[in-house]
Amino acid sequence: MRNVILTGFMGTGKSSVGKLLATELGFRFRDLDEMIESIENLTINEVFEKYGEGHFRSLEEAVVRSLSDAERMVLSTGGGAVISRKNRAVFRSIGCIVNLTASPEMIVERLEHDDRRPLLKGSKSRETIEKLMRARESFYADADIRIDTTGKKLEDVTREILLFLEGRD
Ligand code: S3P
């Protein structure tokens, strides 16, 4: 297994799980949003404000494309990265796709005091989150394994992923 790609809605724990998973595997950790922020020298909020979502999605695709030769990496993707067919193809070709899920209620709770999600600026209600989740469901379902993180500790989620990966090797 060359790489592990973590997909999932905002607030499903991709970055925290990804860091721990990378440590356990001895892989390096990469966060797609952080890569975009450092290339642009702007926060994700600022990229959306200054250039709009379309530009952000192009940057996202460019960064994903640049990872086509990556090895021994755990990649935490932004919640919308799977919308792009091109991104999904790269993810499929470079490794194992692990999709993290959580109930809308859990996501509301986790993101309550978080202002770093431009798409939830208008509303962070359960309804808004459910609607966006439903629209993306088929993209999230395109994974090797799906793990529900609702109410779970990140160590337990990481262990579930490690067990799955051991079973595959
Ligand atoms: C987005 C999720 C965010 C970030 C951007 C757009 C989305 O990443 O990429 O705000 O479309 O769901 P996280 O999933 O890490 O919050």
Side-chain angles (χ1 to χ4, degrees):
M1 185 242 329
R2 283 171 55 200
N3 303 285
V4 180
I5 319 301
L6 294 174
T7 67
F9 200 80
M10 295 170 261
T12 51
K14 294 165 297 205
S15 298
S16 3
V17 169
K19 278 180 200 149
L20 184 57
L21 184 65
T23 306
E24 294 289 329
L25 289 169
F27 282 16
R28 66 175 186 282
F29 173 73
R30 288 280 180 279
D31 181 295
L32 206 47
D33 283 345
E34 278 177 13
M35 291 175 83
I36 293 170
E37 289 183 331
S38 74
I39 290 167
E40 292 292 281
N41 206 17
L42 293 171
T43 65
I44 298 298
N45 265 330
E46 289 167 342
V47 174
F48 269 71
E49 269 163 29
K50 252 183 126 166
Y51 305 115
E53 184 176 351
H55 180 73
F56 171 78
R57 297 296 172 203
S58 310
L59 288 170
E60 208 172 35
E61 282 189 346
V63 176
V64 171
R65 204 166 40 241
S66 77
L67 295 170
S68 304
D69 295 325
E71 302 273 353
R72 297 174 67 81
M73 164 188 76
V74 174
L75 176 68
S76 167
T77 65
V82 288
I83 297 169
S84 154
R85 193 179 44 76
K86 289 183 191 158
N87 289 348
R88 293 198 307 278
V90 174
F91 297 157
R92 273 260 155 251
S93 72
I94 64 171
C96 177
I97 305 177
V98 176
N99 175 246
L100 301 184
T101 67
S103 70
E105 291 77 9
M106 181 96 258
I107 286 171
V108 170
E109 206 181 300
R110 286 179 185 162
L111 299 185
E112 207 175 9
H113 303 294
D114 196 310
D115 295 324
R116 288 169 304 173
R117 268 68 179 205
L119 291 183
L120 300 178
K121 258 212 162 93
S123 153
K124 278 190 226 161
S125 70
R126 191 174 59 82
E127 290 71 25
T128 309
I129 286 169
E130 262 180 345
K131 202 169 154 208
L132 197 51
M133 254 185 185
R134 223 175 297 124
R136 294 175 172 181
E137 171 53 24
S138 62
F139 306 129
Y140 290 139
D142 182 8
D144 296 293
I145 184 173
R146 304 188 79 183
I147 295 180
D148 186 3
T149 68
T150 309
K152 287 184 194 160
K153 288 195 287 202
L154 81 101
E155 290 81 4
D156 294 334
V157 175
T158 306
R159 193 165 326 120
E160 275 187 57
I161 301 173
L162 287 168
L163 281 174
F164 168 74
L165 295 174
E166 275 167 26
R168 265 171 67 104
D169 286 343

